[in-house]
Amino acid sequence: MGSGQVRHRRSPSRPWRRVVLPVTAIAALALAAAACSSGNNSNSGGAATGAAVKGGTAVMAEPPSQTPSYIFPFMAPAVSTNQNLFDFTYLMYRPLYWFGYGSQPVVNTSLSLASTPTFSGRNVTIKLKHYVWSNGTPVTAQDIMFWINMMKAVPQDWFGSVPGGFPTNVSDVKAVSPTELTMTMNKAYSSTWFLYNNLSQITPMPAAWDRTASGPSNCDTTVSDCAAVYSYLAGQAKDLNTYATSPVWSIVDGPWKLSAFNADGHVTFVPNKSYSGPVKPKLSALEEVPFTTDSAEYDVMQSSNSGTKIDVGYIPSSDLPAKPAGAAVGTNPLASKGYTLAPLYAWGIGFYVMNFGSTTGNGPIIRQLYFRQAMAYLMDQDGVINGPLRGYGTVTVGPVGSTPVSKFLSPKGRQGDPYPFSIAKAKALLSSHGWKVVPGGSTSCTDPAKCGPGIAQGKTLSFNFPYASGLSWLTSEMTELQSNAAQAGIKLNIEPQPINQVTSVAAANCVSVKTPCNWDMADFEGFTFSPDYLPTGDVLYLTGATSNYGAYSDTQNDAMIEKTLTSSNLSYMYNWQDYLAAQLPFEWQPFPAYQITEVANNLKGVIPQSPTLSINPENWYFVK
């Protein structure tokens, strides 16, 4: 973003995305992944343990109000949701490098289209394995060039774009043979960072896509041709009704292809019989079905007479028994219905966005650190986790995820919430900065010199605040935050909206998208780290980054991020995250379990679930 969604989910429930790595050394994990078999999931839960059954249709519930809405894998920020990326396009169009091995967010060499890249000084070499497109043509180094040239031509239309980042940080990129590509980095970078946060973004595209409405083009060799090609393909992607029949989107290299697609969210995949990868689909079909709310989906799972079966679904937080402290899971309400409970935690962080460039008149207020700190004190993270989330969530302590605890999380970050809930502290901050606090009323600025530049006397604290609908826990959190803020005289005009609408608002970040920035705050849950799998901050917080949703800009932050890209010394990572955690470029909020998954006991291969949020339904199979 890819949370989401973001990139992308998302957590989403889940829009946007990216990832923190585990405590175990990256190299050791990568070697372990390479040494193991290609199947990266094994479902050990559930009572059904009979013989495998070939075929069958598995039904997976889509997250509430989050349906696939964009098929072109070169995604702009406004469409880069986790649903579009991981549960949709990745099934058909494989990224160059696959991330996620079992429960670890590491590169999976066995499922990647290319072997692990080799580095020699600033030179990088990529060698492709044998994969073919469903039209019979091989996946080649020229297909990688197609993607890279498009990134050069329309960086604003790629959700993972970062000023000075890939591919502008490489030169002499060329396909030296059909199976080999070389490039030269513009300076010495960490090879892990370059693989996990640069090469991870690439999804090869077939030569048949290199065209415009007028006919074939040459984006794979000529950057100046790419804008027109992108315009054509993005235009084709807007016609959702043709997804399953389009001659463009029918060319796939992944294990699945579309057999049916409805704009309401009903999607059916069938095996791609030309798939060249190591794990061929065992199911006859995979159906993804939509729900407007999590409670509607849960009603179906509880009912044996609904006429709709769900093999992979989820439980709303509001319907979960509280999880005992220290336990991995609590009581499973659907155990008697033949399901196994399996919480999925993503690599990511929770936050809501504040718009530093807001044109509603509130931009100057949001740019004041004391105000952001006051809002942070009004968020009761522990209360939300132990209340509406029923214990299935983690505290966000800054820009690096706190669960699982990784070597990338600073010692200070491990101490917990930097702004623990305190309405009294929020009031004190406002009072000491020139505001007359009126609990239950309207707090106003009485001393502009203390309130801050651009804030006039008499200005009140009132903000528009859309948030993602369909999630009961988030609705509870927003209602509670609104109530807490009111006690400090702050009016939050919260409004539930479909998540695609909320992310579209936040994508108008006043930097990469030239639209009116007439919004103040927005909540789409948070961000998962992919396809940038190291939490270095360049995607979310660097000045001008496409996914810097609130247009946050700080020269000290930019300089500190730069050090995390070029050095493996963890002290740079620690110093940066401790600084940014206190600066509040976003407002930290609890990061829920991405999904409290329920898996039918007779469906195997789903568990363990990947923290990168990628799914591998080619591993799924039914048993008698």
Side-chain angles (χ1 to χ4, degrees), residues 1-2 6-7 16 18 77 80 158-161 509 512 527 539-541 544-550 586:
M1 225 5 96
V6 270
R7 321 178 193 300
W16 318 77
R18 279 79 183 155
S80 62
W158 171 239
F159 76 89
S161 176
N509 64 9
S512 63
F527 196 88
V539 170
L540 278 177
Y541 313 105
T546 303
S547 292
N548 182 346
Y549 310 117
F586 301 141

Side-chain angles (χ1 to χ4, degrees), residues 494-513:
I494 61 174
E495 179 185 0
Q497 297 178 0
I499 194 167
N500 290 343
Q501 187 172 334
V502 179
T503 55
S504 293
V505 167
N509 64 9
C510 312
V511 175
S512 63
V513 182

Side-chain angles (χ1 to χ4, degrees), residues 100-115:
Y101 190 91
S103 61
Q104 299 296 331
V106 296
V107 64
N108 188 324
T109 55
S110 65
L111 296 183
S112 295
L113 302 183
S115 301

Side-chain angles (χ1 to χ4, degrees), residues 347-590:
W347 288 104
I349 54 176
F351 58 76
Y352 66 85
V353 181
M354 282 196 166
N355 186 6
F356 289 73
S358 174
T359 56
T360 65
N362 289 324
I365 298 173
I366 291 170
R367 290 191 287 271
Q368 302 304 309
L369 177 59
Y370 74 82
F371 173 74
R372 303 197 301 278
Q373 290 172 328
M375 289 299 298
Y377 281 123
L378 295 172
M379 173 63 73
D380 185 2
Q381 293 205 58
D382 286 330
V384 173
I385 291 171
N386 295 322
L389 287 176
R390 301 294 196 269
Y392 293 94
T394 61
V395 171
T396 297
V397 300
V400 174
S402 62
T403 300
V405 175
S406 74
K407 66 179 181 180
F408 298 103
L409 182 63
S410 73
K412 187 174 182 180
R414 300 180 194 203
Q415 297 174 11
D417 190 352
Y419 295 98
F421 177 58
S422 175
I423 294 176
K425 288 184 178 180
K427 291 179 179 178
L429 276 169
L430 294 173
S431 296
S432 65
H433 286 85
W435 296 85
K436 181 181 179 181
V437 177
V438 182
S442 184
T443 291
S444 61
C445 176
T446 57
D447 188 345
K450 291 183 178 179
C451 294
I455 303 174
Q457 184 166 356
K459 175 67 176 176
T460 58
L461 299 175
S462 179
F463 305 88
N464 58 54
F465 199 157
Y467 69 92
S469 62
L471 298 167
S472 56
W473 78 267
L474 186 58
T475 297
S476 296
E477 178 190 276
M478 287 291 97
T479 302
E480 180 184 350
L481 179 60
Q482 183 185 50
S483 176
N484 295 341
Q487 295 183 58
I490 301 171
K491 185 178 182 181
L492 300 181
N493 304 302
I494 61 174
E495 179 185 0
Q497 297 178 0
I499 194 167
N500 290 343
Q501 187 172 334
V502 179
T503 55
S504 293
V505 167
N509 64 9
C510 312
V511 175
S512 63
V513 182
K514 304 303 181 183
T515 59
C517 285
N518 56 350
W519 60 279
D520 297 322
M521 305 175 188
D523 196 335
F524 45 78
E525 286 193 84
F527 196 88
T528 54
F529 296 101
S530 61
D532 301 79
Y533 295 90
L534 287 176
T536 48
D538 46 316
V539 170
L540 278 177
Y541 313 105
L542 198 65
T543 298
T546 303
S547 292
N548 182 346
Y549 310 117
Y552 173 75
S553 180
D554 180 277
T555 55
Q556 183 173 344
N557 168 67
D558 292 348
M560 296 176 85
I561 287 176
E562 178 65 21
K563 290 182 179 179
T564 70
L565 309 184
T566 55
S567 173
S568 59
N569 188 330
L570 286 175
S571 66
Y572 293 128
M573 176 74 76
Y574 296 161
N575 292 339
W576 163 70
Q577 68 184 269
D578 289 345
Y579 172 77
L580 204 66
Q583 289 296 307
L584 296 165
F586 301 141
E587 290 287 335
W588 315 125
Q589 70 178 8

